Amino acid sequence: MTWLQILLLLACPLMMLFCMKGMFSGNKEKNTQSDHQQVSSTELQSVQIKVADLIEENQKLMKEIQSLKEEKKSRPVLIKKDA
């Protein structure tokens, strides 16, 4: 194996290392307190109300699923005989 073949064989992994290093270190910014947006109390309450509504809807749907399962169990099974 010649040095040219070895160089070509190593070119892909080496380029990948350089690209990954550039990707992770190229756009780093210092995190400061002013960069972070603070959630207001009204936004927080709005999200909490939406979550409570979704939980309530989920409970209703779970009850409906359970009643459908019970209804399916109570139905008689019809056996169809071929003539």
Side-chain angles (χ1 to χ4, degrees):
M1 192 177 264
T2 66
W3 64 272
L4 183 58
Q5 291 172 332
I6 294 172
L7 183 64
L8 289 174
L9 187 66
L10 293 176
C12 184
L14 289 174
M15 288 303 294
M16 179 62 91
L17 288 174
F18 288 120
C19 289
M20 294 297 286
K21 183 179 186 250
M23 184 174 71
F24 284 115
S25 64
N27 293 326
K28 285 188 179 178
E29 296 177 5
K30 294 182 179 180
N31 291 333
T32 60
Q33 187 74 14
S34 63
D35 290 343
H36 298 293
Q37 294 179 352
Q38 295 182 354
V39 179
S40 68
S41 62
T42 56
E43 290 175 342
L44 182 60
Q45 288 175 347
S46 173
V47 171
Q48 288 175 339
I49 290 170
K50 288 178 184 178
V51 169
D53 290 341
L54 289 172
I55 289 171
E56 183 180 342
E57 184 178 352
N58 186 24
Q59 289 174 347
K60 288 178 183 178
L61 291 172
M62 292 298 289
K63 287 178 184 179
E64 185 176 345
I65 290 171
Q66 187 64 30
S67 68
L68 290 173
K69 284 181 181 179
E70 291 172 2
E71 183 181 313
K72 185 177 179 181
K73 286 180 182 179
S74 65
R75 290 184 190 164
V77 178
L78 299 176
I79 299 175
K80 185 176 184 181
K81 292 185 180 181
D82 293 332

